[in-house]
Amino acid sequence: MNDNVILGTVVMLVSLNTALPALASQQDDARNAAEVAVINQEVVDAQVLRSHGDEYTREFLLQFHNATQKYRQAFQLGIADQEEGRTHAFGDHVEQAAYQRGIEKAKAQTQEKTGAKENTFSDQLVDQKRYLPKQPLPNQARFINQIADDARQIGKNYDLYPSIIIAQAALESNWGTSDLSLAPHHNLFGVKGKYNGRGVLKSTTEFVGSQSTQVQDIFRSYTSTKQSLQDYAKTLQQPLYREVHRSVVKSYREATHALVGRYATDPDYDKKLNQIIDSYQLTRYDDPKKDGNTQSQIINSRQYKMPRRSHLRELHQQTSPKHKKFSPVVSVVGGAASAGALTGLKKLLVS
């Protein structure tokens, strides 16, 4: 669906019906779905789209056009910046995703010209520092124990590193003490937007280049911590986070590196996660057959002996990680954000 078709359809729909403005929730849903379609490069199924009604369709097409324009501009900027050695950061999730892909495109073109082998996670990019282990404070050990079992199950079901799940929850929620992570919001991962219509306005830190700034944004509000964990896992199933999955990368450090500029705008996001993982030996919650040598697995086999509080009930999944496909249904995340998806969308080329 090209821009001329999009705009022509919009004009037709506007002329057919301008008396019934879309509800605010309908507009939000349509905008989110349009942005996800652009980020995930999906083909819009016209029949599915029209089944949502004229108001929704009109809003979707307008937002799809706007998001496509932003995507193309940021994609080209990523190519140019990679060639010139510059960097930019975006608060808009469509632009951030496109910019990162532009950088990757430029790298691939350079490798093709020079005949260099593809190496997405080079030693120069992945954090190589090793952080010394230390004893967690009582509140830190309690937080780890509270979510460790669920992190293991989610990691198994969604092809993710439990160590990263725990580290991200700790970093984003300040070990479960932030206002956003506590009742009534239960948002452990700083996920932006609304969940089933629930959201709350909060201050957050964003990075433009290496400079941090405070901004206001809407964050999802959940009915439970379990719901937050499940939504986080579903978020990472979108193609933007492919390199976070264990079946794709060789180590948790490659996975944390893949979160930089995608999940968060903080340029040191991977280093902060790696420090938490190393310091509190969180790799002991990962499958020992995955990365890490035998000695580190022996060291990491110790369990914290802190008194435990009630655990979340074990999560249930119908599909195994071997057969699970990346879902086009995504949510908005800290720093780089995305949004809820329209069911039935297929592959789309927008660049």
Side-chain angles (χ1 to χ4, degrees), residues 104-134:
E104 293 171 355
K105 177 70 173 179
K107 288 180 180 178
Q109 290 174 338
T110 300
Q111 291 168 349
E112 185 177 350
K113 290 179 181 178
T114 59
K117 293 183 178 179
E118 183 178 358
N119 186 6
T120 306
F121 302 101
S122 66
D123 291 341
Q124 289 75 22
L125 295 176
V126 177
D127 178 28
Q128 300 295 318
K129 184 176 180 179
R130 298 296 165 179
Y131 304 91
L132 295 176
K134 61 183 179 181

Side-chain angles (χ1 to χ4, degrees), residues 75 78-79 81-82 98-108:
F75 182 83
I79 293 176
D81 280 2
Q82 175 63 23
Y99 183 76
Q100 184 67 32
R101 288 171 184 166
I103 290 175
E104 293 171 355
K105 177 70 173 179
K107 288 180 180 178

Side-chain angles (χ1 to χ4, degrees), residues 83-284:
E83 293 173 348
E84 298 294 331
R86 300 187 301 259
T87 57
H88 283 80
F90 298 90
D92 181 271
H93 53 287
V94 173
E95 293 175 319
Q96 184 63 42
Y99 183 76
Q100 184 67 32
R101 288 171 184 166
I103 290 175
E104 293 171 355
K105 177 70 173 179
K107 288 180 180 178
Q109 290 174 338
T110 300
Q111 291 168 349
E112 185 177 350
K113 290 179 181 178
T114 59
K117 293 183 178 179
E118 183 178 358
N119 186 6
T120 306
F121 302 101
S122 66
D123 291 341
Q124 289 75 22
L125 295 176
V126 177
D127 178 28
Q128 300 295 318
K129 184 176 180 179
R130 298 296 165 179
Y131 304 91
L132 295 176
K134 61 183 179 181
Q135 189 69 20
L137 297 174
N139 69 302
Q140 294 173 328
R142 185 163 49 246
F143 180 80
I144 293 171
N145 289 333
Q146 283 175 342
I147 69 170
D149 288 346
D150 293 287
R152 274 175 164 160
Q153 188 63 44
I154 287 175
K156 179 180 179 181
N157 292 336
Y158 289 91
D159 189 32
L160 300 172
Y161 283 94
S163 58
I164 296 179
I165 296 173
I166 298 171
Q168 275 196 274
L171 179 61
E172 295 286 351
S173 72
N174 192 24
W175 297 95
T177 64
S178 68
D179 289 342
L180 188 62
S181 67
L182 299 172
H185 306 301
H186 305 285
N187 189 335
L188 292 179
F189 298 94
V191 181
K192 290 181 179 178
K194 292 184 178 180
Y195 187 84
N196 293 337
R198 290 167 52 93
V200 59
L201 183 66
K202 292 284 186 180
S203 296
T204 184
T205 301
E206 300 287 1
F207 286 80
V208 179
S210 59
Q211 299 297 315
S212 64
T213 182
Q214 287 289 316
V215 298
Q216 295 282 319
D217 217 326
I218 300 292
F219 290 84
R220 291 191 166 197
S221 182
Y222 304 99
T223 58
S224 66
T225 302
K226 176 180 178 179
Q227 200 174 62
S228 175
L229 285 159
Q230 290 175 322
D231 190 48
Y232 158 85
K234 292 176 182 177
T235 295
L236 296 189
Q237 298 309 296
Q238 63 165 304
L240 181 63
Y241 300 108
R242 180 178 180 273
E243 286 82 9
V244 176
H245 289 78
R246 300 186 70 171
S247 61
V248 177
V249 296
K250 296 178 181 179
S251 71
Y252 74 86
R253 292 207 169 208
E254 291 184 358
T256 58
H257 177 67
L259 291 167
V260 179
R262 301 182 187 186
Y263 194 96
T265 54
D266 184 352
D268 294 323
Y269 195 68
D270 57 338
K271 297 179 179 64
K272 293 175 181 178
L273 292 176
N274 293 340
Q275 184 172 16
I276 293 173
I277 292 171
D278 284 1
S279 296
Y280 305 112
Q281 304 177 73
L282 299 183
T283 54
R284 65 197 177 93

Side-chain angles (χ1 to χ4, degrees), residues 152 155-156 160-163 246 250-252 281-303:
R152 274 175 164 160
K156 179 180 179 181
L160 300 172
Y161 283 94
S163 58
R246 300 186 70 171
K250 296 178 181 179
S251 71
Y252 74 86
Q281 304 177 73
L282 299 183
T283 54
R284 65 197 177 93
Y285 295 107
D286 297 336
D287 182 352
K289 293 182 180 180
K290 286 286 183 181
D291 53 81
N293 57 42
T294 303
Q295 182 63 31
S296 67
Q297 295 300 334
I298 294 174
I299 294 173
N300 290 338
S301 65
R302 298 193 302 270
Q303 297 288 328

